[in-house]
Amino acid sequence: MDLLHELESMVITQQDNIEPKYDDIKRWQSLFGYTYSDASQRIQDHRSNSARVQVSDLHWEIVHAEKEDQGYDKESYEYSCSLPRAQRPHGAEKSTKTKKKKPSIYLLKLEGPFSTSENVKIAHSASSMLRSRFTGTDDNGAPASFCKVDGATSKMILDHLSDVESTFQPTFIGYSRAEKALSTTSMHPTLGSEATLPHHRLSFESDLESDQRLLPTQDQYPVWYFFYGTLSDPSVLKNLIGIGEPVYSAAKVRGGRLGTWGGKYKALVDAPAYETGCIEGHAFLITNKDQEDALQCYETDSYEVVRCMIELEGQKDEKIRGLTFRFIGDTDP
């Protein structure tokens, strides 16, 4: 009889834990737009689902401040993670909407009143974005010189020409390439890792020259790259960097999630901490800066170069520190 009584008590306790409180129901109504009865039922279904998404204590510790500001507690946040992206409340997407946007960069053809980059700097107090002269060819194949300007400088030039009623038409060419800015004092940027979190910071006592998390370095060649999209196509890569038949190694990386943008382009972004899956693709050894420059221009400024750990398949436990291209915009729903 004592055992039976104990089992009955356990059932009653479990039912009490599943039954939602008023504050929980109102929270779910506010977050997900459910009616009172729908919210109550969904909470009960969520609590009784043993296969539900569960967020680790470490993950919740990292995100709780932001999520609590949006109205979540841990339980409602776990539930939101199980929803398809298109059904998640706007608050859950807040962090993805603040991704950085690259400033517009152009090549200005040096001609007419702007025949040198110094003319542009002196005459219009141009920003420090101006670079020294670049040489190339114009649309007719004739030799030409250019300098880099940012969006603010290009607007300043056009405004000036309008003010003086000039008929001169400057030539601006969009300049778009994936940024590569690998820190020498932290692991930033690294796929799936936020360098500012305590467990990712380098200690003051660490030897920066020997810390493997700082590899690859900015100008390290040769360097391994992980490809997951069109760069895995041999015909694309060999035409892009001017080599013979490329030799790939089957590989995978962790810490990322593969989506799309623009309805068709593959986009590798950071995965949430609770996702432990891998992205499969190919590794390729880039031997010099010219090859890397071609890759950066091909990927455009919609991406950035980040560090990653590449796991080579078919070679037991072989991991190499390399680079890949991470998308910096908003992926498709």
Side-chain angles (χ1 to χ4, degrees), residues 293-306:
D293 286 342
L295 296 181
Q296 289 175 258
C297 290
Y298 178 79
E299 290 291 358
T300 77
D301 60 3
S302 293
Y303 296 82
E304 63 181 342
V305 178
V306 299

Side-chain angles (χ1 to χ4, degrees), residues 183-187 202 208 211-217 307:
S183 173
T184 59
T185 58
S186 78
M187 60 190 295
L202 277 61
L208 296 182
D211 197 312
Q212 295 295 301
R213 290 174 295 178
L214 299 181
L215 298 178
T217 58
R307 295 177 172 119

Side-chain angles (χ1 to χ4, degrees), residues 13-14 37 65 80 98 129 133 151 162 175 183 196 198-199 208-209 231 254 261 296 320 325:
T13 300
Q14 185 178 21
S37 59
S80 74
T98 58
M129 287 298 299
R133 179 186 296 242
S162 177
Y175 183 81
S183 173
T196 60
H199 55 289
L208 296 182
E209 293 185 0
L231 289 176
R254 301 181 188 275
W261 70 278
Q296 289 175 258
I320 52 178
F325 291 98

Side-chain angles (χ1 to χ4, degrees), residues 68-95:
E68 286 176 351
D69 285 344
Q70 297 172 4
Y72 290 93
D73 60 4
K74 186 179 179 183
E75 181 183 59
S76 56
Y77 174 61
E78 287 178 334
Y79 175 77
S80 74
C81 292
S82 69
L83 295 175
R85 182 176 294 271
Q87 295 180 21
R88 296 180 189 177
H90 295 301
E93 298 298 319
K94 183 177 179 180
S95 61

Side-chain angles (χ1 to χ4, degrees), residues 140-283:
N140 298 319
S145 296
F146 305 85
C147 70
K148 283 185 189 177
V149 297
D150 59 14
T153 301
S154 64
K155 183 178 185 302
M156 187 184 305
I157 290 172
L158 294 174
D159 288 345
H160 169 76
L161 293 173
S162 177
D163 291 341
V164 299
E165 299 181 353
S166 172
T167 58
F168 176 74
Q169 295 292 324
T171 300
F172 293 104
I173 302 171
Y175 183 81
S176 175
R177 59 180 283 156
E179 182 183 27
K180 181 186 180 186
L182 307 181
S183 173
T184 59
T185 58
S186 78
M187 60 190 295
H188 177 79
T190 296
L191 181 67
S193 298
E194 175 50 64
T196 60
L197 294 178
H199 55 289
H200 287 154
R201 294 176 191 163
L202 277 61
S203 66
F204 291 111
E205 296 79 14
S206 64
D207 185 351
L208 296 182
E209 293 185 0
S210 62
D211 197 312
Q212 295 295 301
R213 290 174 295 178
L214 299 181
L215 298 178
T217 58
Q218 179 73 12
D219 298 314
Q220 177 180 327
Y221 304 100
V223 61
W224 285 94
Y225 265 81
F226 175 78
F227 299 145
Y228 53 87
T230 53
L231 289 176
S232 292
D233 183 338
S235 63
V236 172
L237 187 62
K238 69 180 182 181
N239 290 332
L240 184 63
I241 63 177
I243 61 172
E245 198 65 24
V247 178
Y248 294 102
S249 297
K252 58 187 177 183
V253 295
R254 301 181 188 275
R257 171 189 285 176
L258 201 58
T260 60
W261 70 278
K264 58 181 178 179
Y265 303 108
K266 288 189 176 181
L268 180 64
V269 297
D270 288 340
Y274 58 83
E275 288 190 9
T276 58
C278 62
I279 302 297
E280 296 185 350
H282 295 87

Side-chain angles (χ1 to χ4, degrees), residues 102-116:
K102 298 294 183 184
S104 298
I105 304 297
Y106 303 92
L107 293 181
L108 169 65
K109 185 178 180 181
L110 297 177
E111 58 182 345
F114 310 116
S115 58
T116 69

